[in-house]
Amino acid sequence: THYAHHYHQGRIGIGAQMVGLAQGCLDITLPYVHERRQFGAPIASFQAVQHQLAQLAVDVEAARLLVYNAARMKENGLPFVKHAAMAKLFASQVAQRTAARCVELHGGVGFTKDYAIERFYRDSIIGSIYEGTSNMQLTTIAKLMSDELATS
Protein backbone atom coordinates (compact mmCIF):
# COMPACT_ATOMS: atom_id res chain seq x y z
CA THR A 1 0.00 0.00 0.00
CA HIS A 2 0.90 3.65 -0.30
CA TYR A 3 1.16 4.03 3.49
CA ALA A 4 3.38 0.97 3.87
CA HIS A 5 5.75 2.24 1.17
CA HIS A 6 6.22 5.57 2.98
CA TYR A 7 6.51 3.78 6.31
CA HIS A 8 9.34 1.61 5.04
CA GLN A 9 10.94 4.56 3.28
CA GLY A 10 10.78 6.46 6.58
CA ARG A 11 13.01 3.84 8.16
CA ILE A 12 15.83 4.96 5.89
CA GLY A 13 15.31 8.54 7.03
CA ILE A 14 15.35 7.55 10.70
CA GLY A 15 18.48 5.49 10.09
CA ALA A 16 20.11 8.55 8.53
CA GLN A 17 19.06 10.69 11.51
CA MET A 18 20.59 8.19 13.91
CA VAL A 19 23.83 8.07 11.92
CA GLY A 20 23.99 11.86 12.07
CA LEU A 21 23.33 11.81 15.79
CA ALA A 22 26.06 9.22 16.40
CA GLN A 23 28.50 11.17 14.23
CA GLY A 24 27.61 14.32 16.15
CA CYS A 25 28.44 12.55 19.41
CA LEU A 26 31.87 11.64 18.08
CA ASP A 27 32.40 15.13 16.68
CA ILE A 28 31.90 16.77 20.07
CA THR A 29 33.58 14.02 22.12
CA LEU A 30 36.84 13.81 20.20
CA PRO A 31 37.95 17.38 20.99
CA TYR A 32 36.75 16.94 24.59
CA VAL A 33 38.89 13.85 25.25
CA HIS A 34 41.90 15.77 23.97
CA GLU A 35 41.18 18.56 26.48
CA ARG A 36 40.10 16.51 29.52
CA ARG A 37 43.07 15.54 31.63
CA GLN A 38 43.44 12.71 34.13
CA PHE A 39 46.67 11.61 35.79
CA GLY A 40 48.46 14.52 34.13
CA ALA A 41 47.58 13.55 30.54
CA PRO A 42 44.70 14.04 28.10
CA ILE A 43 42.39 11.04 28.34
CA ALA A 44 42.73 10.72 24.55
CA SER A 45 46.26 9.47 25.19
CA PHE A 46 44.96 6.42 27.06
CA GLN A 47 44.75 3.30 24.92
CA ALA A 48 41.40 2.23 26.40
CA VAL A 49 39.84 5.55 25.36
CA GLN A 50 41.45 5.32 21.91
CA HIS A 51 40.03 1.83 21.42
CA GLN A 52 36.55 2.89 22.51
CA LEU A 53 36.56 5.83 20.08
CA ALA A 54 37.93 3.69 17.25
CA GLN A 55 35.19 1.07 17.78
CA LEU A 56 32.51 3.77 17.82
CA ALA A 57 33.89 5.18 14.56
CA VAL A 58 33.73 1.70 12.96
CA ASP A 59 30.16 1.25 14.17
CA VAL A 60 29.07 4.65 12.85
CA GLU A 61 30.62 3.97 9.47
CA ALA A 62 28.95 0.54 9.25
CA ALA A 63 25.59 2.13 10.10
CA ARG A 64 26.16 4.83 7.49
CA LEU A 65 26.86 2.23 4.82
CA LEU A 66 23.73 0.25 5.72
CA VAL A 67 21.66 3.43 5.38
CA TYR A 68 23.34 4.36 2.09
CA ASN A 69 22.74 0.87 0.72
CA ALA A 70 19.04 0.88 1.67
CA ALA A 71 18.65 4.31 0.04
CA ARG A 72 20.49 3.12 -3.09
CA MET A 73 18.22 0.11 -3.37
CA LYS A 74 15.09 2.22 -2.95
CA GLU A 75 16.31 4.80 -5.48
CA ASN A 76 17.00 2.02 -8.00
CA GLY A 77 13.56 0.46 -7.60
CA LEU A 78 14.93 -2.67 -5.93
CA PRO A 79 13.27 -4.43 -3.01
CA PHE A 80 14.49 -2.41 -0.03
CA VAL A 81 12.22 -3.14 2.94
CA LYS A 82 14.55 -5.66 4.60
CA HIS A 83 17.55 -3.39 4.09
CA ALA A 84 15.65 -0.36 5.37
CA ALA A 85 14.72 -2.31 8.52
CA MET A 86 18.33 -3.43 8.97
CA ALA A 87 19.61 0.12 8.51
CA LYS A 88 17.08 1.60 10.94
CA LEU A 89 17.68 -1.12 13.54
CA PHE A 90 21.47 -0.99 13.43
CA ALA A 91 21.71 2.80 13.18
CA SER A 92 19.44 3.25 16.21
CA GLN A 93 21.51 0.73 18.18
CA VAL A 94 24.72 2.48 17.17
CA ALA A 95 23.31 5.89 18.08
CA GLN A 96 22.34 4.72 21.57
CA ARG A 97 25.65 2.93 22.14
CA THR A 98 27.68 5.87 20.81
CA ALA A 99 25.76 8.46 22.82
CA ALA A 100 26.04 6.42 26.02
CA ARG A 101 29.78 5.85 25.57
CA CYS A 102 30.38 9.50 24.75
CA VAL A 103 28.48 10.56 27.89
CA GLU A 104 30.79 8.26 29.87
CA LEU A 105 33.84 9.78 28.20
CA HIS A 106 32.64 13.21 29.29
CA GLY A 107 32.52 11.98 32.88
CA GLY A 108 30.12 13.58 35.34
CA VAL A 109 29.62 16.67 33.18
CA GLY A 110 28.22 14.46 30.44
CA PHE A 111 24.90 14.41 32.26
CA THR A 112 24.66 18.17 32.65
CA LYS A 113 22.84 20.48 30.29
CA ASP A 114 26.08 22.47 29.98
CA TYR A 115 27.29 19.90 27.44
CA ALA A 116 25.46 18.97 24.24
CA ILE A 117 26.20 15.28 24.69
CA GLU A 118 23.40 15.08 27.29
CA ARG A 119 20.87 16.09 24.63
CA PHE A 120 22.32 13.65 22.10
CA TYR A 121 21.92 10.88 24.66
CA ARG A 122 18.26 11.71 25.28
CA ASP A 123 17.58 12.03 21.55
CA SER A 124 19.23 8.68 20.80
CA ILE A 125 16.57 6.77 22.73
CA ILE A 126 13.73 7.70 20.38
CA GLY A 127 15.49 6.13 17.40
CA SER A 128 14.63 2.65 18.62
CA ILE A 129 10.97 3.58 19.00
CA TYR A 130 9.58 5.60 16.11
CA GLU A 131 9.04 4.25 12.60
CA GLY A 132 8.76 0.86 14.28
CA THR A 133 10.42 -0.41 17.44
CA SER A 134 13.61 -2.43 17.26
CA ASN A 135 11.60 -5.60 17.84
CA MET A 136 9.36 -4.71 14.89
CA GLN A 137 12.48 -4.29 12.73
CA LEU A 138 13.74 -7.71 13.81
CA THR A 139 10.35 -9.25 13.02
CA THR A 140 10.32 -7.61 9.58
CA ILE A 141 13.86 -8.78 8.81
CA ALA A 142 13.14 -12.36 9.94
CA LYS A 143 9.88 -12.55 7.97
CA LEU A 144 11.54 -11.26 4.80
CA MET A 145 14.42 -13.70 5.21
CA SER A 146 11.92 -16.57 5.42
CA ASP A 147 10.00 -15.20 2.44
CA GLU A 148 13.23 -15.06 0.41
CA LEU A 149 13.98 -18.66 1.29
CA ALA A 150 10.48 -19.76 0.29
CA THR A 151 10.79 -18.09 -3.12
CA SER A 152 14.32 -19.28 -3.90
Side-chain angles (χ1 to χ4, degrees), residues 21 99 103 113 116-127:
L21 187 148
V103 164
K113 293 190 187 270
I117 195 65
E118 176 269 343
R119 171 76 187 270
F120 281 110
Y121 179 71
R122 284 187 292 122
D123 289 349
S124 74
I125 305 304
I126 195 66

Side-chain angles (χ1 to χ4, degrees), residues 24-36 42 44 53 106:
C25 290
L26 285 177
D27 290 349
I28 62 173
T29 300
L30 199 54
Y32 181 80
V33 298
H34 281 85
E35 295 167 11
R36 182 176 171 207
L53 290 168
H106 275 77

Side-chain angles (χ1 to χ4, degrees), residues 3 7-8 10-11 14 84-85 88-89 92 125-140:
Y3 169 77
Y7 177 73
H8 298 307
R11 292 175 177 169
I14 301 307
K88 194 265 184 190
L89 173 69
S92 66
I125 305 304
I126 195 66
S128 64
I129 300 169
Y130 60 17
E131 292 291 342
T133 64
S134 292
N135 283 337
M136 286 178 62
Q137 304 312 314
L138 291 168
T139 298
T140 298

Side-chain angles (χ1 to χ4, degrees), residues 11-149:
R11 292 175 177 169
I12 298 170
I14 301 307
Q17 272 186 310
M18 293 297 105
V19 167
L21 187 148
Q23 185 64 58
C25 290
L26 285 177
D27 290 349
I28 62 173
T29 300
L30 199 54
Y32 181 80
V33 298
H34 281 85
E35 295 167 11
R36 182 176 171 207
R37 299 180 71 80
Q38 290 292 322
F39 310 108
I43 64 170
S45 67
F46 303 148
Q47 189 176 55
V49 171
Q50 294 168 359
H51 287 182
Q52 290 177 60
L53 290 168
Q55 184 62 59
L56 293 174
V58 170
D59 290 348
V60 172
E61 187 63 17
R64 179 180 288 115
L65 293 173
L66 279 169
V67 169
Y68 285 172
N69 188 52
R72 178 192 61 80
M73 293 179 78
K74 192 241 172 248
E75 285 289 312
N76 287 306
L78 299 169
F80 71 95
V81 173
K82 180 178 79 171
H83 293 83
M86 288 177 170
K88 194 265 184 190
L89 173 69
F90 189 71
S92 66
Q93 292 170 339
V94 166
Q96 283 186 35
R97 203 165 42 243
T98 302
R101 186 58 45 89
C102 288
V103 164
E104 291 172 12
L105 289 169
H106 275 77
V109 300
F111 284 102
T112 67
K113 293 190 187 270
D114 296 336
Y115 288 81
I117 195 65
E118 176 269 343
R119 171 76 187 270
F120 281 110
Y121 179 71
R122 284 187 292 122
D123 289 349
S124 74
I125 305 304
I126 195 66
S128 64
I129 300 169
Y130 60 17
E131 292 291 342
T133 64
S134 292
N135 283 337
M136 286 178 62
Q137 304 312 314
L138 291 168
T139 298
T140 298
I141 294 162
K143 180 186 179 317
L144 291 170
M145 290 171 62
S146 292
D147 291 351
E148 289 169 1
L149 178 64

